[in-house]
Amino acid sequence: MSLIKDAQRGLVTEEMKLVAAQEGVTEEFVRKGVAGGHIVIPVSPYRKVKICGIGEGLRTKVNASIGTSSDISDVSVEIEKVRQAELAGADTLMELSTGGDLADIRRQVIAATSLSVGSVPLYQAFIEAAHKKGAVVDMEADDLFRITAEQAKAGTNFMAIHTGINYETMKRLQNQGRHAGLVSRGGAFMTAWMLHNEKENPLYAEFDYLLEIMKEHEVTLSMGNGMRAGAVHDSTDRAAIQELLINAELADKAFNEGVQTIVEGPGHVPIDEIQANVILQKRVTNRKPFYMLGPLVTDIAPGYDDRVAMVGAALSSSYGADFICYVTPAEHLALPTPEEVFEGVISSRIAAHIGDMVKLNKRDDDLEMGHARKALDWDRQYAVAINPKRAKEIRDSRMPADTDGCTMCGDYCAIKIVAKHFNF
Amino acid sequence: MSLIKDAQRGLVTEEMKLVAAQEGVTEEFVRKGVAGGHIVIPVSPYRKVKICGIGEGLRTKVNASIGTSSDISDVSVEIEKVRQAELAGADTLMELSTGGDLADIRRQVIAATSLSVGSVPLYQAFIEAAHKKGAVVDMEADDLFRITAEQAKAGTNFMAIHTGINYETMKRLQNQGRHAGLVSRGGAFMTAWMLHNEKENPLYAEFDYLLEIMKEHEVTLSMGNGMRAGAVHDSTDRAAIQELLINAELADKAFNEGVQTIVEGPGHVPIDEIQANVILQKRVTNRKPFYMLGPLVTDIAPGYDDRVAMVGAALSSSYGADFICYVTPAEHLALPTPEEVFEGVISSRIAAHIGDMVKLNKRDDDLEMGHARKALDWDRQYAVAINPKRAKEIRDSRMPADTDGCTMCGDYCAIKIVAKHFNF
């Protein structure tokens, strides 16, 4: 089954109907988007997935990445992260564990959610090589493809795969140098592997085989961003753009084979380069869904990187990015806690909305909030707030004597003064 | 004494020298900026103020507004807000109390800080009228001017004064209507007063007298934004722009009289209108320092408005705003706590820096962070972090087994993989 082929045959599937209803667009709009590769709808033949469309003309979606590390590995904490991410309104999850029993953790996480769950299969392949053979560079290509298929069968329904790192990309990196090197784990693993084995990246060299696996298991392919900058001074550099070109070329090939495809983008990007990144990526990928990672627009605010990424994500979304990977306040410092996962999702959701106000002119909730504020109607305000509970908690923690207003202005509330004295 | 007149005579004062040294620009650059009205340096003849330049070519500055309300009035809490604002790195404070003994609170706040302290004199004038005469609309113009002078003598060294609300501005508002009306307390008070008394705003009608007071006490005039939108659907509307035009006209007059002048801007503004606001304001004010209030770029995130304002402030700063009024997470819900003041200042400072990366190409600390990250040198990272304490707390709360890295990636840290396998 291929949604792309269905759409191209003129068929409007149940998934497309659902997306159209969720988004308030026509079914034909969604069908055309899928048929043209501008919209993806991740599905899975192995489990029932909450349908969520990603791409042109649709609400900007937010992904929350969770997972263990070699230092902190407790599946119950990961399940709590799933719960917090869902509470905060994440649209998708990525399960990126690198510590503990990876297959078991993934199984339990998938069992705990109906959201689409993404993965990065090469993590498991490299880590198993390290455990079984002593070094990540001893990973064998066959194991990588086997694990990719296994993860799909376990219900992982989109995958970040580092197809764009090849000798050409590596040459750009070597010839250019970098301030902060590689910060993508997939990019670092694969580059190390290529250098050690003097072999081309199997995900690039055997891309046709990869596509067979994607097709067989109906996985949505998210073309990974292994060369993304890890510092604003490395942003939009030749290595990253070379990888984008390779990914874009392969994305067309995947699309032609009926594989739904997303292309990932940076990373660390100062605000004056975000628009160029979005325009370039949309152009060279023929308007494939753009999965923006962050982006972080300054490097000097560790502890607040969810807020830093909000600025980048809001701009990205306004310029046309379709899908935002959240960043938590623990980024660059530690594995996030469930509370930090919640904060990260909220920050990204606000950013996605700020962008959608421009990209899609989605401003109805803002208008309702403005009217509810003028009416001093707190229940109406909470009803359209992104987190009604938090808003209510803050106000209730300091209730005013006159319960119409709030303690900020008390008796001298501008809205009350206006209501008393004006009739316009 | 007038810094403007000094600068125009070619004199480089101690204040200008200090600003030049702080900012890494030449003394001549600062002198020219002051002489042309593009830079202000708030001073006070009544107390020693920590010198801070605001305007073109200088680092974007952050103001923290504090103060009591009729519901919550405890001067010790206000003093703690001063401490938290300074800890978080605020450049200036505004003391905006509307509850308790206003003069005494202001006196104690000013005694607790060496930062420039701003005020809105009409709050006190209107509130005293309400207490003594029964209604804010019974305020008398003489009292307003008397209080303005008293506040200056108490050491308040910049003042937001609502000069731009006149019959012309009010006509725009009446003819147009609004979704959320007026949300500026000064704007609401003054409009109510004008309607009730059928008199022109004395701050406009007697602007020359106001300037005499500003000159006598060397107050920096911040032209208030009483018509600013309180909802994104009211942004950049005819009422707000009419007020801007009046303020801009008066700002030139003030400048010609040797009064240092800032012009305030909105408010609530979606991200696609921010650049137009900055360009317009800079143009019609002849490049006076632009004091941006927020701006809030969506209305649907009460409880997170410091983050929402970050997006607006970062863009504003990048386009040319010089001075940012912070927003706290309690905005629209309650009077902020000292902790919320801290959070608000941090969010605004990050935003100001994000803007300065573009406006002034200030990226040295980002570069150092990138290099420190590549070197896995945590002390160097903390040294350039906007809040070293918070960054260290997050990492230390979850220390990795291998203390070179962090628990996010543990053994599979990209930077460690790169260091082990590459030599580029």
Side-chain angles (χ1 to χ4, degrees):
Chain A
M1 196 188 107
S2 160
L3 280 185
I4 293 174
K5 301 291 179 194
D6 287 345
Q8 289 174 340
R9 277 195 302 270
L11 196 67
V12 176
T13 66
E14 283 308 309
E15 294 87 352
M16 298 175 208
K17 287 180 188 170
L18 264 169
V19 169
Q22 289 163 358
E23 303 275 343
V25 296
T26 65
E27 296 176 356
E28 180 58 11
F29 178 85
V30 177
R31 187 198 63 76
K32 269 180 144 167
V34 173
H38 312 307
I39 289 175
V40 298
I41 309 175
V43 292
S44 173
Y46 305 107
R47 67 186 182 102
K48 198 170 160 49
V49 169
K50 187 178 168 195
I51 291 301
C52 169
I54 298 166
E56 217 171 82
L58 308 184
R59 179 175 61 77
T60 303
K61 303 305 185 297
V62 170
N63 175 74
S65 292
I66 61 167
T68 60
S69 71
S70 57
D71 286 304
I72 302 177
S73 180
D74 178 342
V75 73
S76 69
V77 174
E78 297 309 314
I79 302 296
E80 180 58 17
K81 289 182 194 172
V82 171
R83 210 177 68 86
Q84 292 299 325
E86 290 193 353
L87 263 177
D91 296 295
T92 64
L93 294 172
M94 287 188 80
E95 201 296 296
L96 303 182
S97 288
T98 58
D101 181 337
L102 304 186
D104 183 60
I105 295 166
R106 188 170 312 107
R107 189 184 54 72
Q108 293 197 50
V109 163
I110 289 172
T113 185
S114 62
L115 297 182
S116 279
V117 175
S119 69
V120 182
L122 68 69
Y123 289 175
Q124 186 178 343
F126 278 110
I127 289 167
E128 284 189 7
H131 288 179
K132 291 177 187 165
K133 302 180 183 177
V136 295
V137 291
D138 294 330
M139 190 268 299
E140 288 185 47
D142 286 349
D143 290 327
L144 177 52
F145 290 113
R146 173 184 51 78
I147 286 167
T148 302
E150 282 172 8
Q151 292 195 2
K153 279 187 255 182
T156 301
N157 63 324
F158 68 105
M159 291 185 183
I161 300 197
H162 297 75
T163 49
I165 304 169
N166 64 6
Y167 278 126
E168 205 54 37
T169 303
M170 208 159 66
K171 201 187 293 176
R172 293 291 93 68
L173 182 66
Q174 275 178 309
N175 289 347
Q176 166 197 266
R178 264 200 174 170
H179 291 288
L182 294 186
V183 297
S184 151
R185 287 181 291 190
F189 278 142
M190 188 53 80
T191 306
W193 187 92
M194 288 165 66
L195 286 166
H196 179 84
N197 295 289
E198 299 184 356
K199 275 191 195 160
E200 186 54 281
N201 171 5
L203 299 167
Y204 173 78
E206 299 176 61
F207 186 68
D208 290 338
Y209 181 38
L210 178 70
L211 283 187
E212 288 308 312
I213 299 171
M214 299 288 109
K215 272 197 281 192
E216 182 182 347
H217 305 289
E218 293 177 44
V219 175
T220 297
L221 176 58
S222 184
M223 319 214 51
N225 204 223
M227 292 288 143
R228 71 172 178 274
V232 290
H233 282 77
D234 290 331
S235 65
T236 328
D237 71 353
R238 296 192 293 261
I241 303 304
Q242 181 68 68
E243 181 186 37
L244 168 63
L245 295 181
I246 304 292
N247 271 338
E249 194 172 285
L250 297 177
D252 272 354
K253 195 168 183 180
F255 167 71
N256 290 335
E257 292 290 321
V259 172
Q260 298 197 93
T261 306
I262 294 166
V263 183
E264 298 182 11
H268 289 235
V269 190
I271 59 174
D272 54 346
E273 292 177 14
I274 292 175
Q275 188 173 20
N277 271 277
V278 177
I279 291 173
L280 177 66
Q281 181 143 343
K282 280 285 181 181
R283 173 65 188 90
V284 298
T285 67
N286 293 314
R287 295 155 47 209
K288 301 277 182 308
F290 185 165
Y291 185 11
M292 181 59 102
L293 312 182
L296 290 159
V297 298
T298 177
D299 293 335
I300 64 154
Y304 303 96
D305 275 337
D306 64 317
R307 304 185 200 182
V308 171
M310 262 190 78
V311 177
L315 284 171
S316 301
S317 160
S318 79
Y319 295 134
D322 307 290
F323 190 24
I324 302 291
C325 187
Y326 86 155
V327 172
T328 79
E331 184 77 15
H332 296 111
L333 297 169
L335 199 72
T337 62
E339 295 70 29
E340 288 162 343
V341 166
F342 184 92
E343 289 300 308
V345 173
I346 287 282
S347 289
S348 287
R349 281 191 60 216
I350 299 170
H353 171 73
I354 291 167
D356 285 342
M357 289 171 67
V358 175
K359 186 170 62 179
L360 305 173
N361 202 28
K362 277 198 188 295
R363 301 183 183 199
D364 290 352
D365 286 348
D366 292 273
L367 184 58
E368 169 63 7
M369 182 66 86
H371 290 162
R373 282 186 172 146
K374 182 147 204 286
L376 291 169
D377 186 331
W378 294 90
D379 288 333
R380 274 174 67 197
Q381 291 178 47
Y382 298 144
V384 287
I386 198 151
N387 183 355
K389 188 163 161 280
R390 172 154 163 148
K392 192 167 186 314
E393 274 167 7
I394 291 176
R395 178 163 178 268
D396 288 356
S397 70
R398 284 152 264 172
M399 273 303 272
D402 173 355
T403 54
D404 278 356
C406 82
T407 52
M408 184 152 193
C409 303
D411 296 343
Y412 306 105
C413 168
I415 289 172
K416 287 196 270 184
I417 297 164
V418 169
K420 186 171 170 191
H421 294 280
F422 306 13
N423 50 13
F424 58 94
Chain B
M1 197 188 106
S2 160
L3 280 185
I4 293 174
K5 301 291 179 194
D6 287 345
Q8 288 174 339
R9 276 195 303 270
L11 196 67
V12 176
T13 66
E14 282 308 310
E15 294 87 353
M16 297 175 209
K17 287 180 188 169
L18 263 169
V19 168
Q22 288 163 358
E23 303 275 342
V25 296
T26 65
E27 295 176 357
E28 180 59 11
F29 178 86
V30 178
R31 187 198 63 76
K32 269 179 142 169
V34 173
H38 313 307
I39 289 175
V40 298
I41 309 175
V43 291
S44 172
Y46 305 107
R47 66 186 183 101
K48 198 170 161 49
V49 169
K50 187 178 168 195
I51 291 302
C52 169
I54 299 166
E56 218 171 81
L58 308 184
R59 180 175 61 77
T60 303
K61 304 305 186 297
V62 169
N63 175 74
S65 292
I66 61 167
T68 61
S69 71
S70 58
D71 287 304
I72 301 177
S73 180
D74 178 341
V75 73
S76 69
V77 174
E78 297 309 315
I79 302 296
E80 180 58 18
K81 290 183 194 171
V82 171
R83 210 178 68 87
Q84 292 299 325
E86 290 193 353
L87 263 177
D91 296 294
T92 63
L93 294 172
M94 287 188 80
E95 202 297 297
L96 304 181
S97 289
T98 58
D101 181 338
L102 304 186
D104 183 60
I105 294 166
R106 188 170 313 108
R107 189 184 54 72
Q108 293 198 49
V109 163
I110 289 172
T113 186
S114 62
L115 296 182
S116 279
V117 175
S119 69
V120 182
L122 68 68
Y123 289 175
Q124 186 178 344
F126 278 110
I127 289 167
E128 284 189 7
H131 287 178
K132 291 178 186 164
K133 301 179 182 176
V136 294
V137 291
D138 294 330
M139 189 268 298
E140 289 184 47
D142 286 349
D143 290 327
L144 177 53
F145 290 114
R146 173 184 51 78
I147 286 167
T148 301
E150 282 172 8
Q151 292 195 1
K153 279 187 255 182
T156 302
N157 63 324
F158 68 105
M159 292 185 182
I161 299 197
H162 297 76
T163 49
I165 305 169
N166 64 5
Y167 278 126
E168 205 54 37
T169 303
M170 208 158 67
K171 202 187 292 176
R172 294 289 93 69
L173 182 66
Q174 276 178 308
N175 290 347
Q176 165 196 267
R178 264 199 174 170
H179 291 288
L182 295 186
V183 297
S184 150
R185 288 181 291 189
F189 278 143
M190 188 53 81
T191 306
W193 187 91
M194 288 165 67
L195 287 165
H196 180 84
N197 295 288
E198 300 184 355
K199 275 191 196 160
E200 187 53 281
N201 171 6
L203 299 167
Y204 173 78
E206 299 175 63
F207 186 69
D208 290 337
Y209 181 38
L210 178 70
L211 283 187
E212 288 308 312
I213 299 171
M214 299 287 108
K215 272 197 281 191
E216 182 182 347
H217 305 289
E218 293 178 44
V219 175
T220 296
L221 175 59
S222 184
M223 318 214 53
N225 203 223
M227 292 288 143
R228 70 171 178 273
V232 290
H233 282 77
D234 290 331
S235 64
T236 327
D237 71 352
R238 296 193 293 262
I241 303 303
Q242 181 68 67
E243 181 186 37
L244 168 63
L245 295 181
I246 304 293
N247 271 338
E249 194 172 286
L250 297 178
D252 272 353
K253 196 169 181 179
F255 167 71
N256 290 334
E257 292 289 320
V259 173
Q260 297 197 93
T261 305
I262 293 166
V263 183
E264 298 182 11
H268 289 235
V269 190
I271 59 173
D272 55 346
E273 292 177 14
I274 292 175
Q275 188 173 20
N277 270 277
V278 177
I279 291 173
L280 176 66
Q281 181 143 343
K282 280 285 181 180
R283 173 65 189 89
V284 299
T285 67
N286 292 315
R287 295 155 48 208
K288 301 278 183 306
F290 184 165
Y291 185 11
M292 181 59 102
L293 312 182
L296 290 158
V297 298
T298 177
D299 293 335
I300 64 155
Y304 303 96
D305 276 337
D306 63 317
R307 303 185 201 183
V308 170
M310 262 189 79
V311 178
L315 284 171
S316 301
S317 161
S318 79
Y319 295 134
D322 306 289
F323 190 24
I324 302 291
C325 188
Y326 87 155
V327 173
T328 80
E331 184 76 15
H332 296 112
L333 297 168
L335 199 72
T337 62
E339 295 70 30
E340 288 163 343
V341 166
F342 184 92
E343 289 300 308
V345 172
I346 287 283
S347 289
S348 286
R349 281 191 60 215
I350 298 170
H353 172 73
I354 292 168
D356 284 342
M357 289 171 67
V358 175
K359 186 171 61 178
L360 305 174
N361 201 28
K362 277 197 187 297
R363 301 182 183 200
D364 290 351
D365 286 348
D366 292 273
L367 184 59
E368 168 64 7
M369 181 67 86
H371 290 162
R373 282 187 173 144
K374 182 146 204 287
L376 291 169
D377 185 331
W378 294 90
D379 288 333
R380 273 174 67 198
Q381 290 178 48
Y382 298 144
V384 287
I386 198 152
N387 183 354
K389 188 163 161 280
R390 172 155 162 147
K392 192 167 186 313
E393 274 167 8
I394 291 176
R395 178 162 179 269
D396 288 356
S397 70
R398 284 153 265 172
M399 272 304 271
D402 173 355
T403 53
D404 277 357
C406 82
T407 53
M408 185 152 193
C409 304
D411 296 343
Y412 306 105
C413 168
I415 289 172
K416 288 196 269 185
I417 298 164
V418 169
K420 186 172 170 190
H421 295 280
F422 305 14
N423 50 13
F424 58 94

PDB file of all heavy atoms in Angstrom, chain B residues 395-406:
ATOM      1  N   ARG B 395      22.997  20.470  34.641  1.00  0.00           N
ATOM      2  CA  ARG B 395      23.957  19.402  34.360  1.00  0.00           C
ATOM      3  C   ARG B 395      24.310  18.645  35.639  1.00  0.00           C
ATOM      4  O   ARG B 395      24.331  17.414  35.672  1.00  0.00           O
ATOM      5  CB  ARG B 395      25.219  19.974  33.719  1.00  0.00           C
ATOM      6  CG  ARG B 395      26.273  18.908  33.457  1.00  0.00           C
ATOM      7  CD  ARG B 395      27.315  19.362  32.456  1.00  0.00           C
ATOM      8  NE  ARG B 395      28.303  18.317  32.274  1.00  0.00           N
ATOM      9  CZ  ARG B 395      29.425  18.230  32.993  1.00  0.00           C
ATOM     10  NH1 ARG B 395      29.691  19.135  33.920  1.00  0.00           N
ATOM     11  NH2 ARG B 395      30.261  17.233  32.776  1.00  0.00           N
ATOM     12  N   ASP B 396      24.575  19.389  36.721  1.00  0.00           N
ATOM     13  CA  ASP B 396      25.008  18.747  37.967  1.00  0.00           C
ATOM     14  C   ASP B 396      23.913  17.879  38.581  1.00  0.00           C
ATOM     15  O   ASP B 396      24.213  16.926  39.309  1.00  0.00           O
ATOM     16  CB  ASP B 396      25.451  19.803  38.988  1.00  0.00           C
ATOM     17  CG  ASP B 396      26.782  20.445  38.605  1.00  0.00           C
ATOM     18  OD1 ASP B 396      27.374  20.007  37.599  1.00  0.00           O
ATOM     19  OD2 ASP B 396      27.212  21.377  39.298  1.00  0.00           O
ATOM     20  N   SER B 397      22.663  18.216  38.303  1.00  0.00           N
ATOM     21  CA  SER B 397      21.572  17.424  38.887  1.00  0.00           C
ATOM     22  C   SER B 397      21.549  16.020  38.300  1.00  0.00           C
ATOM     23  O   SER B 397      20.903  15.126  38.841  1.00  0.00           O
ATOM     24  CB  SER B 397      20.229  18.115  38.642  1.00  0.00           C
ATOM     25  OG  SER B 397      19.888  18.055  37.265  1.00  0.00           O
ATOM     26  N   ARG B 398      22.220  15.826  37.175  1.00  0.00           N
ATOM     27  CA  ARG B 398      22.250  14.519  36.508  1.00  0.00           C
ATOM     28  C   ARG B 398      23.642  14.309  35.939  1.00  0.00           C
ATOM     29  O   ARG B 398      23.832  14.316  34.726  1.00  0.00           O
ATOM     30  CB  ARG B 398      21.227  14.508  35.352  1.00  0.00           C
ATOM     31  CG  ARG B 398      19.785  14.369  35.780  1.00  0.00           C
ATOM     32  CD  ARG B 398      18.844  15.014  34.757  1.00  0.00           C
ATOM     33  NE  ARG B 398      18.490  16.373  35.118  1.00  0.00           N
ATOM     34  CZ  ARG B 398      17.807  17.211  34.342  1.00  0.00           C
ATOM     35  NH1 ARG B 398      17.415  16.835  33.138  1.00  0.00           N
ATOM     36  NH2 ARG B 398      17.525  18.428  34.746  1.00  0.00           N
ATOM     37  N   MET B 399      24.631  14.162  36.815  1.00  0.00           N
ATOM     38  CA  MET B 399      26.007  14.062  36.323  1.00  0.00           C
ATOM     39  C   MET B 399      26.245  12.726  35.622  1.00  0.00           C
ATOM     40  O   MET B 399      25.813  11.679  36.087  1.00  0.00           O
ATOM     41  CB  MET B 399      26.997  14.220  37.474  1.00  0.00           C
ATOM     42  CG  MET B 399      27.368  15.674  37.747  1.00  0.00           C
ATOM     43  SD  MET B 399      28.041  16.570  36.319  1.00  0.00           S
ATOM     44  CE  MET B 399      29.773  16.189  36.511  1.00  0.00           C
ATOM     45  N   PRO B 400      26.945  12.775  34.499  1.00  0.00           N
ATOM     46  CA  PRO B 400      27.248  11.534  33.775  1.00  0.00           C
ATOM     47  C   PRO B 400      28.389  10.769  34.442  1.00  0.00           C
ATOM     48  O   PRO B 400      29.184  11.352  35.187  1.00  0.00           O
ATOM     49  CB  PRO B 400      27.682  12.042  32.405  1.00  0.00           C
ATOM     50  CG  PRO B 400      28.255  13.399  32.673  1.00  0.00           C
ATOM     51  CD  PRO B 400      27.488  13.966  33.835  1.00  0.00           C
ATOM     52  N   ALA B 401      28.460   9.477  34.139  1.00  0.00           N
ATOM     53  CA  ALA B 401      29.553   8.651  34.660  1.00  0.00           C
ATOM     54  C   ALA B 401      30.890   9.174  34.133  1.00  0.00           C
ATOM     55  O   ALA B 401      31.855   9.323  34.880  1.00  0.00           O
ATOM     56  CB  ALA B 401      29.340   7.199  34.236  1.00  0.00           C
ATOM     57  N   ASP B 402      30.914   9.450  32.837  1.00  0.00           N
ATOM     58  CA  ASP B 402      32.112  10.053  32.243  1.00  0.00           C
ATOM     59  C   ASP B 402      31.904  11.558  32.282  1.00  0.00           C
ATOM     60  O   ASP B 402      31.125  12.113  31.513  1.00  0.00           O
ATOM     61  CB  ASP B 402      32.259   9.564  30.797  1.00  0.00           C
ATOM     62  CG  ASP B 402      33.390  10.294  30.077  1.00  0.00           C
ATOM     63  OD1 ASP B 402      33.983  11.225  30.661  1.00  0.00           O
ATOM     64  OD2 ASP B 402      33.672   9.918  28.928  1.00  0.00           O
ATOM     65  N   THR B 403      32.601  12.229  33.186  1.00  0.00           N
ATOM     66  CA  THR B 403      32.271  13.626  33.463  1.00  0.00           C
ATOM     67  C   THR B 403      32.694  14.595  32.362  1.00  0.00           C
ATOM     68  O   THR B 403      32.482  15.790  32.478  1.00  0.00           O
ATOM     69  CB  THR B 403      32.903  14.070  34.802  1.00  0.00           C
ATOM     70  OG1 THR B 403      34.300  13.770  34.742  1.00  0.00           O
ATOM     71  CG2 THR B 403      32.263  13.344  35.972  1.00  0.00           C
ATOM     72  N   ASP B 404      33.277  14.072  31.286  1.00  0.00           N
ATOM     73  CA  ASP B 404      33.565  14.950  30.149  1.00  0.00           C
ATOM     74  C   ASP B 404      32.289  15.443  29.472  1.00  0.00           C
ATOM     75  O   ASP B 404      32.216  16.577  29.015  1.00  0.00           O
ATOM     76  CB  ASP B 404      34.369  14.191  29.074  1.00  0.00           C
ATOM     77  CG  ASP B 404      35.850  14.176  29.402  1.00  0.00           C
ATOM     78  OD1 ASP B 404      36.235  14.801  30.409  1.00  0.00           O
ATOM     79  OD2 ASP B 404      36.602  13.518  28.668  1.00  0.00           O
ATOM     80  N   GLY B 405      31.313  14.549  29.351  1.00  0.00           N
ATOM     81  CA  GLY B 405      30.125  14.855  28.563  1.00  0.00           C
ATOM     82  C   GLY B 405      28.950  15.235  29.431  1.00  0.00           C
ATOM     83  O   GLY B 405      29.103  15.876  30.463  1.00  0.00           O
ATOM     84  N   CYS B 406      27.759  14.839  28.981  1.00  0.00           N
ATOM     85  CA  CYS B 406      26.578  15.035  29.815  1.00  0.00           C
ATOM     86  C   CYS B 406      25.665  13.839  29.610  1.00  0.00           C
ATOM     87  O   CYS B 406      25.901  13.000  28.740  1.00  0.00           O
ATOM     88  CB  CYS B 406      25.876  16.364  29.517  1.00  0.00           C
ATOM     89  SG  CYS B 406      24.770  16.364  28.097  1.00  0.00           S
TER      90      CYS B 406
END
